[in-house]
Amino acid sequence: MSEDKKELIKEALAQTMKQARGEQSLFKFCSENDIPLSVVSEAERALKDPQLTTIFKLAEAYGLTPAEFVEKLV
């Protein structure tokens, strides 16, 4: 996969995560869902892409299935 495609995916993920979290504070979201703040923060800023297990945790935290969460990226 090209670096350009990877960057587009990270940007789409960042935008989707921010929208799904809504107005809830990053700290509260991470605390309530047992997800490291650094992981969410870096993903929401498109600096890193989270591991697959984290994607599953994020989907659950947003009240979505992993498939629904990934569908929102496109």
Side-chain angles (χ1 to χ4, degrees):
M1 179 180 295
S2 72
E3 285 302 312
D4 289 340
K5 282 189 177 186
K6 287 180 184 180
E7 289 304 314
L8 287 173
I9 291 169
K10 288 194 297 188
E11 288 292 333
L13 179 63
Q15 184 177 27
T16 300
M17 289 175 64
K18 288 179 203 173
Q19 288 175 347
R21 183 168 54 85
E23 296 296 317
Q24 186 177 32
S25 79
L26 187 60
F27 180 79
K28 184 176 180 181
F29 175 79
C30 292
S31 296
E32 289 179 352
N33 295 289
D34 193 31
I35 303 170
L37 186 120
S38 62
V39 170
V40 177
S41 175
E42 289 175 344
E44 283 191 0
R45 291 181 288 143
L47 299 177
K48 282 189 162 183
D49 51 342
Q51 294 180 346
L52 184 59
T53 53
T54 303
I55 295 289
F56 274 69
K57 261 186 140 170
L58 287 167
E60 183 179 339
Y62 300 134
L64 303 168
T65 67
E68 291 169 332
F69 179 61
V70 172
E71 281 180 7
K72 289 184 173 289
L73 299 178
V74 287

